Amino acid sequence: MKIAYISTYTPRECGIATFNYNLMRAISANFPERKNVLQNGYVVAINDSENLQEYEYPEEVKYVIRQNDQKDYIRAANYINTSDADACILEHEFGIYGGESGIYILPLLNRLEKPLISILHTILREPSYVQRIIIREIAEQSSKIIVMSKRAVEFLVNIYEIAPDKIQIIEHGVPDLEAPKDNPVKNLSIFKNKKVMLTFGLISRNKGLETVVKALPRIVEKHPDVVYVILGNTHPGVVKHSGEEYRDSLKSLATRLKVANHLAFINKFVAEEELINYLTATTIYVTPYHNEAQITSGTLSYAVGSGAAVVSTPYWHATELLDHNRGRLFDFKDSEMLADTIIDLLDNEDKLNALKQNAYNYGLHLRWPVIGSEFIKVAQEAAINHDFSEKILKNSIVDPEIMPKFSMAHVLRLTDDTGIVQHAKYGIPNLKEGYCLDDNARALIMALMAYQRNKSPEALELLPIYLSYIHYMQCEDGNFRNFLSFDRRYLDEVGSEDSFGRTIWALGHLIGCAANNSYREFALELFHRSYPHFSNLQHIRGMANTIIGICLYLKVYPTDEGMMAEMIRLTQPLIEAYERTQSDDWQWFEEGMTYDNAILPLALLHNYEITGNEKVKQIALKTMAFLDQLTLSNGYLSPVGNDGWYYRGGTFPTFDQQAIETMAMVMMHFQAYETFREPEYIEKMFLSYKWFLGENTLRAPLYDYETKGCCDGLMPTGINRNQGAESTLAYLISHLTVLKAFELEYEYNKFGHNVQVC
């Protein structure tokens, strides 16, 4: 067998990386005639950095996936499919893959042509909708799902509705090592002549280490030779966000309780050969985790496998592994019960030794070579039974390979500490034209989408700039100005209804997905201050933009009856406009199709998502179909040109095509898919997006690969080479919408997509 492993990998400090490193060698140990680990397989490593050189990977790592790069997953699938691997093993944990809850892994699995065995390290009792979908899709693509406990099987069957015959328990492996006769750890000053309580692993607050510190005063009063040793580095994610605050708080707690001399830290990551020394030099091993929701604990398995006496809180894995007197349990956060348990064991050496012997005996069948042989059997069976012809592969509707790499370089070029400059001469900001509210509202939406996608630090830095501009342009009465000169002089008293509506949309978006509470609270303040002006809107595009913003608000605050009533009231003029104007050959809201046309059906789709109003749905569908017939009938998008616009009975204007028309088409079709789950809308969405890349009337790309900006439009004479904020933001919002749609590929590709474009 030759196996391709998809996982994080050493030297990255990650429990799953260590697990996969050990599993690969455990499988190799069953083929002693093969001297090189590469003869048994290779690793596709998941990087938590854009820098491919971030880690000095060993030779078995043959391909690297950058966690947040969707294209890397597609290319990795091709690499595995064209390799000589007989099977593939996936290590799964939601946090190690990109996208919402790690959804980026699904397109890779959908394209995989090798038999797949998936190891699930986390199975949530209360998964989100997306998390449940991900686990079910992994199960569907897998020959076998491997879990490490009975509770995990129970969850998969009852919560995720996965067939029991697809699930197999293989427990967490432990090192195939014995305690050395002369253990050097016992000679360390903090171990010598001491009774040692030990916890090891990456340190973070959810480990509950303070519970042990709180138990120390009673323990050391009875057994003054006890010391509590915490072995391991602080989790890298914790260090990044809060430094060593947690470790320092434990030291302060020990000082207040007057047990500082009985608490010791060994701040290092230890290899297995060294870890066995620490575990066998330990009197009692403690895992004081805060809550039950831990389906697997590698550190607990290692402790049991080494024959340690283990005392633990009753999280799921511990209740199974420590059963039959292989350990003791104490209640979550109960330092008194922990102290009682430790004192009892230290007072009764026979009880302590019984725990150790029981744990050691059980640990013999957990040793890595034994576990490796179990995985070999699973992989061999998967390879024998694998029938690739049964896996119906379709060409994906969305092809990320043709999409440029997402970049905010031109947005950063256009943005200063005031906001985003509205115009550019070619790719150079035109400061003479100053700023406008429309573009800063769009920029806020784009930055939020970019931050949602991969927690972009660049996007996070831009958010306060655009939000601050919106705040600066809000009048005392809650309305908004639009234009601001480069030297920050107001250029109007009241902005357009379009700019008002786009701002409400942006604020609604921010309320729905704020990076933190302060942003949401600020957005709510601006939103509610503008509310009195909703009733003054006269034009349907201003109303449509505002409807979208209110609908996004209502997703967060669905019980706000006043806002619901206002959204329904604002929708009525669109309904009346359609009923007044429509005929058999003119399914539209006005006598003419002017600008930002798709925003009108888009607003109705948002309304329908909230209200379920059937009349609104029918008008949205009819006007969408009419718009598609006019603009997609050539097999590519040709939006209504601004050179004269299109009136009933008139000539369709071909040129002065604008990027905001395309953005609205992309967003309309994606919203239609999210509402109705019909793949034709994804196809039309992607077809519309490709207008930016050259599938248009002039067959010329508007996206500029050099500047990372977007040209302002298609003219009769060619491309308008200026790259202002409106067009660039329209492109980036469209790009991010398509990437969001690509996350749902597992869903829409099942339905097939033989769509005839109008």
Side-chain angles (χ1 to χ4, degrees):
M1 291 293 294
K2 192 166 186 179
I3 298 172
Y5 301 82
I6 305 171
S7 175
T8 55
Y9 206 66
T10 56
R12 179 176 170 181
E13 289 187 13
C14 165
I16 290 176
T18 303
F19 179 93
N20 197 74
Y21 177 89
N22 288 327
L23 176 59
M24 191 175 189
R25 278 151 182 78
I27 289 174
S28 296
N30 285 271
F31 301 100
E33 71 280 3
R34 301 179 185 176
K35 303 302 182 185
N36 191 322
V37 70
L38 286 172
Q39 293 178 273
N40 299 304
Y42 62 87
V43 176
V44 174
I46 310 299
N47 240 28
D48 56 353
S49 167
E50 286 293 301
N51 179 10
L52 293 173
Q53 310 306 318
E54 180 78 11
Y55 302 105
E56 292 185 15
Y57 287 118
E59 61 176 350
E60 59 263 30
V61 173
K62 295 301 181 185
Y63 200 90
V64 176
I65 295 174
R66 290 164 293 187
Q67 179 176 339
N68 293 311
D69 192 319
Q70 285 168 283
K71 291 183 181 179
D72 282 359
Y73 293 85
I74 307 304
R75 293 165 182 163
N78 184 62
Y79 181 88
I80 295 169
N81 289 338
T82 55
S83 75
D84 58 353
D86 300 297
C88 186
I89 288 179
L90 171 76
E91 307 283 2
H92 183 264
E93 161 70 54
F94 292 112
I96 65 175
Y97 300 107
E100 183 181 355
S101 297
I103 201 168
Y104 288 2
I105 191 61
L106 295 186
L108 186 161
L109 303 185
N110 187 53
R111 288 162 171 75
L112 205 59
E113 298 172 6
K114 308 287 186 179
L116 175 67
I117 299 101
S118 295
I119 305 170
L120 304 185
H121 291 264
T122 297
I123 302 153
L124 301 174
R125 183 170 59 183
E126 297 178 353
S128 68
Y129 173 81
V130 171
Q131 288 166 340
R132 185 174 183 274
I133 285 290
I134 289 170
I135 295 299
R136 284 179 54 80
E137 286 300 315
I138 290 173
E140 184 170 321
Q141 300 294 341
S142 301
S143 300
K144 191 69 80 173
I145 292 290
I146 304 299
V147 295
M148 303 178 199
S149 67
K150 296 173 185 175
R151 184 66 65 95
V153 176
E154 176 189 319
F155 284 1
L156 289 177
V157 172
N158 297 329
I159 299 170
Y160 298 86
E161 298 179 325
I162 295 170
D165 60 0
K166 202 160 200 176
I167 309 166
Q168 181 171 335
I169 296 176
I170 300 180
E171 292 189 75
H172 196 297
V174 302
D176 187 23
L177 298 170
E178 295 290 344
K181 291 181 180 179
D182 183 17
N183 190 339
V185 169
K186 290 184 177 180
N187 294 320
L188 297 176
S189 59
I190 56 175
F191 279 77
K192 196 168 186 178
N193 301 318
K194 298 289 196 315
K195 294 186 178 76
V196 175
M197 296 160 54
L198 177 74
T199 299
F200 85 89
L202 294 173
I203 297 173
S204 60
R205 280 199 175 275
N206 64 346
K207 296 298 176 67
L209 306 179
E210 63 275 13
T211 304
V212 187
V213 177
K214 290 176 183 177
L216 279 176
R218 282 191 56 212
I219 296 170
V220 300
E221 183 181 7
K222 188 75 183 290
H223 294 276
D225 56 347
V226 164
V227 63
Y228 178 40
V229 176
I230 298 173
L231 170 63
N233 295 323
T234 301
H235 193 287
V238 174
V239 172
K240 182 178 179 181
H241 291 103
S242 54
E244 295 292 353
E245 182 268 337
Y246 181 53
R247 187 189 297 264
D248 292 341
S249 73
L250 294 173
K251 293 177 182 177
S252 297
L253 176 62
T255 300
R256 288 199 306 274
L257 297 176
K258 299 180 180 180
V259 290
N261 292 334
H262 298 270
L263 174 66
F265 290 91
I266 301 176
N267 308 340
K268 68 176 182 176
F269 181 82
V270 294
E272 284 185 356
E273 293 77 7
E274 189 177 4
L275 178 59
I276 193 71
N277 294 341
Y278 280 98
L279 288 170
T280 53
T282 295
T283 310
I284 297 174
Y285 182 78
V286 186
T287 58
Y289 301 159
H290 272 330
N291 62 69
E292 65 179 355
Q294 181 142 348
I295 209 81
T296 305
S297 169
T299 58
L300 180 67
S301 296
Y302 278 27
V304 169
S306 70
V310 180
V311 175
S312 174
T313 49
Y315 55 90
W316 295 326
H317 192 201
T319 57
E320 289 186 32
L321 192 56
L322 301 184
D323 199 10
H324 302 294
N325 201 35
R326 292 191 290 267
R328 291 283 190 88
L329 300 175
F330 68 97
D331 291 340
F332 298 108
K333 301 183 180 180
D334 192 338
S335 57
E336 291 298 317
M337 187 176 178
L338 171 60
D340 290 341
T341 305
I342 297 293
I343 291 168
D344 180 54
L345 290 173
L346 294 179
D347 285 347
N348 295 276
E349 191 171 348
D350 289 345
K351 290 183 181 180
L352 188 68
N353 290 335
L355 290 185
K356 290 183 175 182
Q357 190 61 50
N358 291 340
Y360 177 83
N361 292 341
Y362 189 80
L364 292 174
H365 91 277
L366 301 180
R367 297 202 174 188
W368 274 119
V370 178
I371 297 299
S373 68
E374 292 297 309
F375 275 97
I376 291 169
K377 293 174 188 175
V378 174
Q380 288 173 336
E381 183 179 353
I384 292 168
N385 296 328
H386 183 60
D387 184 358
F388 175 64
S389 64
E390 292 182 0
K391 186 171 184 177
I392 302 172
L393 284 182
K394 305 177 181 70
N395 292 325
S396 178
I397 302 173
V398 176
D399 181 5
E401 286 292 341
I402 73 169
M403 299 173 68
K405 182 178 174 62
F406 180 77
S407 170
M408 292 189 293
H410 192 52
V411 166
L412 293 168
R413 193 177 299 120
L414 291 172
T415 300
D416 59 20
D417 59 356
T418 299
I420 191 165
V421 174
Q422 63 176 323
H423 293 303
K425 292 292 289 181
Y426 300 95
I428 309 303
N430 184 355
L431 304 181
K432 294 179 180 180
E433 302 292 338
Y435 317 86
C436 72
L437 186 63
D438 295 272
D439 289 337
N440 280 275
R442 290 189 194 96
L444 180 60
I445 292 171
M446 184 282 299
L448 285 166
M449 293 175 71
Y451 183 73
Q452 275 185 294
R453 177 174 172 263
N454 62 5
K455 298 295 184 285
S456 162
E458 285 181 335
L460 188 61
E461 289 179 12
L462 291 173
L463 288 176
I465 296 174
Y466 304 136
L467 186 56
S468 177
Y469 182 90
I470 291 171
H471 176 240
Y472 188 65
M473 299 305 281
Q474 189 168 43
C475 306
E476 288 298 320
D477 66 355
N479 208 336
F480 294 95
R481 294 181 172 91
N482 191 3
F483 297 108
L484 190 72
S485 68
F486 182 63
D487 59 358
R488 295 184 179 177
R489 286 180 294 107
Y490 295 125
L491 299 179
D492 54 8
E493 290 301 317
V494 178
S496 66
E497 289 192 7
D498 285 356
S499 64
F500 179 92
R502 287 171 184 140
T503 303
I504 299 306
W505 181 351
L507 292 173
H509 197 117
L510 178 55
I511 290 165
C513 61
N516 57 50
N517 284 332
S518 64
Y519 283 123
R520 178 175 287 110
E521 290 168 6
F522 194 13
L524 282 167
E525 181 182 316
L526 299 176
F527 187 90
H528 286 299
R529 284 187 64 197
S530 66
Y531 174 74
H533 297 277
F534 292 4
S535 60
N536 298 330
L537 295 170
Q538 301 295 316
H539 303 288
I540 60 175
R541 282 168 181 76
M543 293 175 183
N545 281 287
T546 303
I547 288 166
I548 296 169
I550 296 174
C551 288
L552 295 172
Y553 167 91
L554 287 171
K555 285 186 173 183
V556 184
Y557 301 101
T559 59
D560 190 333
E561 294 181 2
M563 201 62 73
M564 176 72 79
E566 184 62 26
M567 188 270 289
I568 293 170
R569 188 197 67 77
L570 281 170
T571 306
Q572 192 58 33
L574 274 72
I575 296 172
E576 292 171 358
Y578 169 78
E579 291 177 336
R580 187 170 54 248
T581 309
Q582 68 88 25
S583 64
D584 289 345
D585 62 350
W586 188 260
Q587 295 290 310
W588 200 243
F589 304 89
E590 302 166 303
E591 290 293 327
M593 302 185 79
T594 55
Y595 66 96
D596 214 2
N597 292 295
I599 212 74
L600 302 175
L602 175 59
L604 296 184
L605 290 170
H606 278 279
N607 174 299
Y608 175 70
E609 183 183 17
I610 298 293
T611 66
N613 185 305
E614 186 64 25
K615 187 176 187 178
V616 169
K617 169 188 170 183
Q618 291 304 319
I619 296 173
L621 289 171
K622 289 174 182 178
T623 52
M624 268 199 305
F626 182 62
L627 185 58
D628 288 346
Q629 182 182 16
L630 288 171
T631 60
L632 293 172
S633 58
N634 294 322
Y636 56 84
L637 177 66
S638 181
V640 175
N642 280 6
D643 185 15
W645 292 328
Y646 179 50
Y647 291 92
R648 193 197 308 243
T651 303
F652 190 88
T654 302
F655 288 108
D656 202 359
Q657 297 177 15
Q658 300 290 308
I660 59 165
E661 297 292 329
T662 303
M663 179 189 85
M665 291 288 284
V666 168
M667 300 187 85
M668 177 187 75
H669 286 122
F670 183 56
Q671 181 65 25
Y673 176 75
E674 289 205 300
T675 304
F676 304 118
R677 263 25 195 195
E678 294 179 8
E680 67 173 288
Y681 294 120
I682 295 292
E683 185 142 2
K684 290 176 179 177
M685 176 207 69
F686 195 53
L687 187 63
S688 298
Y689 165 78
K690 289 190 286 187
W691 179 88
F692 291 106
L693 306 184
E695 293 200 22
N696 53 48
T697 307
L698 294 182
R699 316 307 287 180
L702 286 89
Y703 179 76
D704 188 328
Y705 288 82
E706 181 180 357
T707 66
K708 316 304 181 190
C710 180
C711 297
D712 280 350
L714 287 183
M715 314 299 289
T717 54
I719 298 172
N720 181 339
R721 290 281 287 115
N722 294 332
Q723 298 172 16
E726 179 182 286
S727 55
T728 296
L729 291 167
Y731 168 75
L732 292 174
I733 289 171
S734 299
H735 185 107
L736 290 164
T737 301
V738 171
L739 290 179
K740 182 67 177 174
F742 184 60
E743 294 177 13
L744 304 176
E745 181 194 53
Y746 68 89
E747 183 179 85
Y748 54 71
N749 263 15
K750 288 180 181 177
F751 303 120
H753 50 93
N754 298 315
V755 178
Q756 287 290 332
V757 177
C758 306

